[in-house]
Amino acid sequence: MKHEDRSDHTVSYRANLFLWFALLVLTGVTVMIAGIDTGRSGILINILVASIKAGLIVYIFMHMKYESFLLKLMLLMTLFTLTVIIVMTFLDTLYR
Amino acid sequence: MDRSQTAGRALEKHVDYTGSKMGMWLFLFTELLFFGGLFLLYAVYRSDFPQEFYATSAGLDRTVGAINTLVLITSSLTMACSITAIKKGETKSAVIFQLLTIGLALVFLGIKYYEWGAKIGHGMYPGSDALLSAGQGEIIFYSLYFVMTGIHGLHVLAGIVLIALMIRMTLKGIISTHDFVRLENTGLYWHFVDIIWVYLFPLLYLIG
């Protein structure tokens, strides 16, 4: 299925509920990971899980799945900008 | 109104729909970079004071943070459902879902109030003697905690006002199954506020 502009699409109650349940499970996973692994990898896994949750919210709740290519591109550009800022800051602070 | 005018109106509305959504997203991008700056501040100081952040984070109540996460995720669900309802023409359910969203947002703020109150009751607030006598890492962690959750809380408060306005508009028929972009944009804002919390919860509460 590859339709570009389907921004009038209605997300069903069922899909909303399903996503809510997935987010609850992922929240449980986050808390569990924090309980088991308190090392350095724990925080990385937690950021990864948080990013999956954020991605799902953007994709379904915020309707990005059905938006135009332009809007998707705009979102990617913003995330890219943020990533560049973060990487450049760490290149500075880590190698001072 | 003759036919050509109606057609003109419809066209105008269509253009407006895409434009207003894009406008909302542009605003959210600026918000993302704004919160991004705060997260960056957190990340840099965390790499400077890993042990202190680790120890101080343990002082936050994990259960309370988790409950607030559930509350906010559920409020995102009710917000999304209110948009589903209005698109289906179920105005009454749309209003009920919006009321539920406000209710959950108030619960979130209530819990935050209790949490902040407990910390402030122990003398832990920005600039307090108890906090300033602590180590540098602990001072920075608590400062970030109060600034980040505080600004997030202000966003929740703004969201409540915004959703209340949407309820009024829905009741007046300004927001309807034919014209719901305001409600959708409010939804976008609300989900964004939820996303910020999705990151704040593990970073502040779960690293200890």
Short mmCIF file of all heavy atoms in Angstrom, two decimals, chain A residues 23 26-27 30 46-55 57, chain B residues 39 68-70 72-73 76 108 152 191-204 206:
data_model
loop_
_atom_site.label_atom_id
_atom_site.label_comp_id
_atom_site.label_asym_id
_atom_site.label_seq_id
_atom_site.Cartn_x
_atom_site.Cartn_y
_atom_site.Cartn_z
N LEU A 23 2.09 0.80 24.06
CA LEU A 23 2.84 1.80 24.83
C LEU A 23 2.93 1.39 26.30
O LEU A 23 3.96 1.58 26.95
CB LEU A 23 2.19 3.18 24.70
CG LEU A 23 2.27 3.83 23.32
CD1 LEU A 23 1.41 5.08 23.25
CD2 LEU A 23 3.71 4.18 22.98
N LEU A 26 5.54 -1.33 26.54
CA LEU A 26 6.88 -0.77 26.42
C LEU A 26 7.30 -0.01 27.68
O LEU A 26 8.47 -0.04 28.07
CB LEU A 26 6.97 0.15 25.19
CG LEU A 26 7.01 -0.59 23.84
CD1 LEU A 26 6.85 0.39 22.69
CD2 LEU A 26 8.32 -1.36 23.69
N THR A 27 6.32 0.67 28.33
CA THR A 27 6.63 1.34 29.59
C THR A 27 7.05 0.30 30.63
O THR A 27 8.02 0.50 31.37
CB THR A 27 5.42 2.14 30.10
OG1 THR A 27 5.00 3.04 29.07
CG2 THR A 27 5.76 2.93 31.35
N THR A 30 10.55 -0.75 29.97
CA THR A 30 11.51 0.26 30.44
C THR A 30 11.77 0.12 31.93
O THR A 30 12.93 0.13 32.37
CB THR A 30 10.96 1.69 30.19
OG1 THR A 30 10.36 1.73 28.92
CG2 THR A 30 12.04 2.71 30.29
N ASN A 46 17.14 1.98 27.40
CA ASN A 46 15.98 2.79 27.77
C ASN A 46 15.71 3.91 26.77
O ASN A 46 14.56 4.21 26.47
CB ASN A 46 16.16 3.37 29.17
CG ASN A 46 15.52 2.48 30.21
OD1 ASN A 46 14.65 1.68 29.88
ND2 ASN A 46 15.94 2.59 31.46
N ILE A 47 16.77 4.53 26.27
CA ILE A 47 16.58 5.58 25.26
C ILE A 47 16.02 4.97 23.98
O ILE A 47 15.14 5.54 23.33
CB ILE A 47 17.91 6.33 24.99
CG1 ILE A 47 18.26 7.19 26.20
CG2 ILE A 47 17.81 7.20 23.74
CD1 ILE A 47 19.60 7.86 26.13
N LEU A 48 16.50 3.77 23.65
CA LEU A 48 16.00 3.08 22.46
C LEU A 48 14.50 2.77 22.60
O LEU A 48 13.71 3.05 21.70
CB LEU A 48 16.79 1.78 22.25
CG LEU A 48 16.47 1.02 20.97
CD1 LEU A 48 17.06 1.75 19.77
CD2 LEU A 48 17.01 -0.40 21.02
N VAL A 49 14.11 2.23 23.77
CA VAL A 49 12.70 1.92 24.00
C VAL A 49 11.86 3.19 23.95
O VAL A 49 10.78 3.23 23.33
CB VAL A 49 12.50 1.19 25.35
CG1 VAL A 49 11.02 0.98 25.65
CG2 VAL A 49 13.21 -0.16 25.35
N ALA A 50 12.37 4.28 24.58
CA ALA A 50 11.65 5.55 24.56
C ALA A 50 11.48 6.04 23.11
O ALA A 50 10.42 6.56 22.75
CB ALA A 50 12.40 6.60 25.38
N SER A 51 12.51 5.82 22.29
CA SER A 51 12.43 6.26 20.90
C SER A 51 11.41 5.43 20.11
O SER A 51 10.71 5.96 19.24
CB SER A 51 13.79 6.18 20.23
OG SER A 51 14.68 7.06 20.89
N ILE A 52 11.32 4.14 20.43
CA ILE A 52 10.30 3.31 19.78
C ILE A 52 8.91 3.83 20.16
O ILE A 52 8.03 3.98 19.32
CB ILE A 52 10.45 1.82 20.19
CG1 ILE A 52 11.76 1.26 19.65
CG2 ILE A 52 9.28 0.99 19.68
CD1 ILE A 52 12.12 -0.12 20.18
N LYS A 53 8.73 4.14 21.47
CA LYS A 53 7.44 4.68 21.93
C LYS A 53 7.12 5.99 21.21
O LYS A 53 6.02 6.18 20.70
CB LYS A 53 7.49 4.93 23.45
CG LYS A 53 7.37 3.65 24.26
CD LYS A 53 7.75 3.89 25.72
CE LYS A 53 6.63 4.53 26.50
NZ LYS A 53 7.03 4.71 27.93
N ALA A 54 8.13 6.90 21.17
CA ALA A 54 7.92 8.19 20.51
C ALA A 54 7.58 8.00 19.04
O ALA A 54 6.68 8.65 18.50
CB ALA A 54 9.17 9.06 20.67
N GLY A 55 8.30 7.05 18.40
CA GLY A 55 8.05 6.78 16.99
C GLY A 55 6.62 6.31 16.74
O GLY A 55 5.95 6.77 15.81
N ILE A 57 4.01 6.90 18.64
CA ILE A 57 3.09 8.02 18.89
C ILE A 57 3.05 8.93 17.66
O ILE A 57 1.98 9.31 17.18
CB ILE A 57 3.50 8.81 20.15
CG1 ILE A 57 3.32 7.94 21.40
CG2 ILE A 57 2.67 10.08 20.29
CD1 ILE A 57 3.85 8.55 22.68
N PHE B 39 17.64 18.52 26.78
CA PHE B 39 18.12 17.14 26.84
C PHE B 39 19.62 17.08 26.60
O PHE B 39 20.32 16.26 27.18
CB PHE B 39 17.37 16.27 25.82
CG PHE B 39 16.01 15.85 26.29
CD1 PHE B 39 14.86 16.32 25.69
CD2 PHE B 39 15.87 14.98 27.37
CE1 PHE B 39 13.60 15.95 26.14
CE2 PHE B 39 14.62 14.59 27.83
CZ PHE B 39 13.48 15.08 27.21
N ASN B 68 2.57 8.39 36.58
CA ASN B 68 2.37 9.56 35.74
C ASN B 68 2.55 9.24 34.26
O ASN B 68 1.86 9.81 33.41
CB ASN B 68 3.31 10.69 36.16
CG ASN B 68 2.58 11.81 36.84
OD1 ASN B 68 1.34 11.82 36.84
ND2 ASN B 68 3.29 12.76 37.39
N THR B 69 3.47 8.32 33.96
CA THR B 69 3.65 7.90 32.57
C THR B 69 2.38 7.24 32.05
O THR B 69 1.92 7.55 30.95
CB THR B 69 4.83 6.90 32.45
OG1 THR B 69 5.97 7.49 33.07
CG2 THR B 69 5.15 6.59 31.01
N LEU B 70 1.80 6.34 32.86
CA LEU B 70 0.57 5.67 32.45
C LEU B 70 -0.55 6.68 32.25
O LEU B 70 -1.32 6.59 31.30
CB LEU B 70 0.16 4.63 33.51
CG LEU B 70 1.15 3.50 33.78
CD1 LEU B 70 0.55 2.46 34.70
CD2 LEU B 70 1.58 2.83 32.47
N LEU B 72 -0.35 9.84 31.44
CA LEU B 72 -0.15 10.67 30.25
C LEU B 72 -0.38 9.86 28.96
O LEU B 72 -0.96 10.36 27.99
CB LEU B 72 1.25 11.28 30.26
CG LEU B 72 1.31 12.72 29.76
CD1 LEU B 72 0.28 13.59 30.44
CD2 LEU B 72 2.69 13.32 29.97
N ILE B 73 0.06 8.60 28.95
CA ILE B 73 -0.16 7.76 27.77
C ILE B 73 -1.66 7.54 27.56
O ILE B 73 -2.15 7.61 26.43
CB ILE B 73 0.57 6.40 27.94
CG1 ILE B 73 2.08 6.59 27.74
CG2 ILE B 73 0.05 5.38 26.95
CD1 ILE B 73 2.88 5.35 28.00
N SER B 76 -3.20 10.49 26.04
CA SER B 76 -2.94 10.52 24.60
C SER B 76 -3.97 9.67 23.86
O SER B 76 -4.43 10.02 22.78
CB SER B 76 -1.54 10.00 24.28
OG SER B 76 -0.68 11.06 23.92
N PHE B 108 -2.31 14.17 36.28
CA PHE B 108 -0.86 14.26 36.08
C PHE B 108 -0.28 15.42 36.88
O PHE B 108 0.69 15.26 37.62
CB PHE B 108 -0.55 14.44 34.59
CG PHE B 108 0.92 14.59 34.29
CD1 PHE B 108 1.72 13.47 34.06
CD2 PHE B 108 1.52 15.84 34.26
CE1 PHE B 108 3.07 13.61 33.80
CE2 PHE B 108 2.87 15.98 34.01
CZ PHE B 108 3.65 14.86 33.78
N HIS B 152 7.89 21.19 31.27
CA HIS B 152 6.94 20.20 30.76
C HIS B 152 5.57 20.40 31.41
O HIS B 152 4.55 20.37 30.72
CB HIS B 152 7.46 18.78 31.04
CG HIS B 152 6.52 17.71 30.58
ND1 HIS B 152 5.63 17.10 31.43
CD2 HIS B 152 6.31 17.17 29.35
CE1 HIS B 152 4.92 16.22 30.74
NE2 HIS B 152 5.31 16.24 29.48
N HIS B 191 0.08 15.12 22.00
CA HIS B 191 0.94 13.94 21.84
C HIS B 191 2.41 14.33 21.96
O HIS B 191 3.21 13.56 22.49
CB HIS B 191 0.68 13.28 20.49
CG HIS B 191 -0.71 12.77 20.35
ND1 HIS B 191 -1.33 12.00 21.31
CD2 HIS B 191 -1.64 12.93 19.37
CE1 HIS B 191 -2.55 11.71 20.92
NE2 HIS B 191 -2.77 12.27 19.76
N PHE B 192 2.75 15.53 21.48
CA PHE B 192 4.13 16.00 21.61
C PHE B 192 4.52 16.11 23.09
O PHE B 192 5.60 15.67 23.49
CB PHE B 192 4.31 17.36 20.91
CG PHE B 192 5.67 17.96 21.12
CD1 PHE B 192 6.75 17.54 20.37
CD2 PHE B 192 5.88 18.91 22.12
CE1 PHE B 192 8.01 18.06 20.59
CE2 PHE B 192 7.14 19.44 22.34
CZ PHE B 192 8.20 19.01 21.58
N VAL B 193 3.62 16.68 23.88
CA VAL B 193 3.87 16.81 25.32
C VAL B 193 4.06 15.43 25.95
O VAL B 193 4.92 15.23 26.81
CB VAL B 193 2.72 17.59 26.01
CG1 VAL B 193 2.85 17.56 27.52
CG2 VAL B 193 2.68 19.03 25.51
N ASP B 194 3.30 14.46 25.46
CA ASP B 194 3.42 13.08 25.93
C ASP B 194 4.80 12.52 25.57
O ASP B 194 5.46 11.88 26.39
CB ASP B 194 2.30 12.23 25.30
CG ASP B 194 2.26 10.82 25.87
OD1 ASP B 194 2.81 10.61 26.96
OD2 ASP B 194 1.67 9.94 25.23
N ILE B 195 5.24 12.78 24.34
CA ILE B 195 6.54 12.27 23.90
C ILE B 195 7.68 12.81 24.78
O ILE B 195 8.59 12.06 25.15
CB ILE B 195 6.79 12.65 22.41
CG1 ILE B 195 5.90 11.79 21.51
CG2 ILE B 195 8.26 12.45 22.04
CD1 ILE B 195 5.98 12.13 20.06
N ILE B 196 7.61 14.10 25.12
CA ILE B 196 8.65 14.67 26.00
C ILE B 196 8.71 13.88 27.30
O ILE B 196 9.78 13.54 27.80
CB ILE B 196 8.38 16.17 26.28
CG1 ILE B 196 8.46 16.99 24.99
CG2 ILE B 196 9.37 16.73 27.31
CD1 ILE B 196 9.79 16.91 24.28
N TRP B 197 7.54 13.57 27.86
CA TRP B 197 7.52 12.81 29.11
C TRP B 197 8.06 11.40 28.91
O TRP B 197 8.71 10.84 29.81
CB TRP B 197 6.11 12.77 29.71
CG TRP B 197 6.13 12.09 31.03
CD1 TRP B 197 5.76 10.82 31.31
CD2 TRP B 197 6.62 12.64 32.27
NE1 TRP B 197 6.00 10.53 32.63
CE2 TRP B 197 6.52 11.63 33.24
CE3 TRP B 197 7.15 13.88 32.62
CZ2 TRP B 197 6.93 11.83 34.55
CZ3 TRP B 197 7.55 14.07 33.93
CH2 TRP B 197 7.43 13.05 34.89
N VAL B 198 7.80 10.80 27.76
CA VAL B 198 8.31 9.46 27.45
C VAL B 198 9.83 9.43 27.61
O VAL B 198 10.41 8.44 28.07
CB VAL B 198 7.88 9.03 26.03
CG1 VAL B 198 8.75 7.91 25.49
CG2 VAL B 198 6.43 8.60 26.02
N TYR B 199 10.51 10.54 27.26
CA TYR B 199 11.96 10.61 27.44
C TYR B 199 12.35 11.04 28.86
O TYR B 199 13.33 10.55 29.41
CB TYR B 199 12.59 11.57 26.42
CG TYR B 199 12.72 10.96 25.05
CD1 TYR B 199 11.76 11.18 24.07
CD2 TYR B 199 13.80 10.15 24.74
CE1 TYR B 199 11.88 10.62 22.81
CE2 TYR B 199 13.94 9.58 23.49
CZ TYR B 199 12.97 9.81 22.53
OH TYR B 199 13.08 9.24 21.30
N LEU B 200 11.59 11.97 29.43
CA LEU B 200 11.94 12.47 30.76
C LEU B 200 11.88 11.36 31.80
O LEU B 200 12.73 11.29 32.69
CB LEU B 200 10.97 13.59 31.18
CG LEU B 200 11.23 14.98 30.60
CD1 LEU B 200 10.19 15.96 31.11
CD2 LEU B 200 12.63 15.46 30.98
N PHE B 201 10.88 10.48 31.68
CA PHE B 201 10.69 9.44 32.70
C PHE B 201 11.93 8.54 32.85
O PHE B 201 12.49 8.48 33.96
CB PHE B 201 9.43 8.65 32.40
CG PHE B 201 9.23 7.44 33.27
CD1 PHE B 201 9.23 7.57 34.66
CD2 PHE B 201 9.08 6.18 32.73
CE1 PHE B 201 9.07 6.46 35.48
CE2 PHE B 201 8.94 5.07 33.54
CZ PHE B 201 8.93 5.21 34.92
N PRO B 202 12.42 7.88 31.81
CA PRO B 202 13.61 7.05 32.03
C PRO B 202 14.86 7.87 32.39
O PRO B 202 15.65 7.44 33.21
CB PRO B 202 13.80 6.30 30.71
CG PRO B 202 13.05 7.07 29.71
CD PRO B 202 11.92 7.73 30.42
N LEU B 203 15.00 9.04 31.77
CA LEU B 203 16.24 9.81 31.99
C LEU B 203 16.34 10.35 33.41
O LEU B 203 17.42 10.43 33.98
CB LEU B 203 16.35 10.95 30.99
CG LEU B 203 16.61 10.52 29.54
CD1 LEU B 203 16.71 11.74 28.63
CD2 LEU B 203 17.89 9.71 29.45
N LEU B 204 15.20 10.75 34.00
CA LEU B 204 15.27 11.33 35.34
C LEU B 204 15.04 10.28 36.43
O LEU B 204 15.68 10.31 37.47
CB LEU B 204 14.23 12.44 35.49
CG LEU B 204 14.46 13.70 34.66
CD1 LEU B 204 13.29 14.67 34.84
CD2 LEU B 204 15.75 14.39 35.05
N LEU B 206 14.83 6.64 36.09
CA LEU B 206 15.22 5.24 36.01
C LEU B 206 16.72 5.00 35.91
O LEU B 206 17.15 3.89 35.64
CB LEU B 206 14.53 4.59 34.79
CG LEU B 206 13.01 4.49 34.87
CD1 LEU B 206 12.48 3.80 33.63
CD2 LEU B 206 12.54 3.75 36.10
#
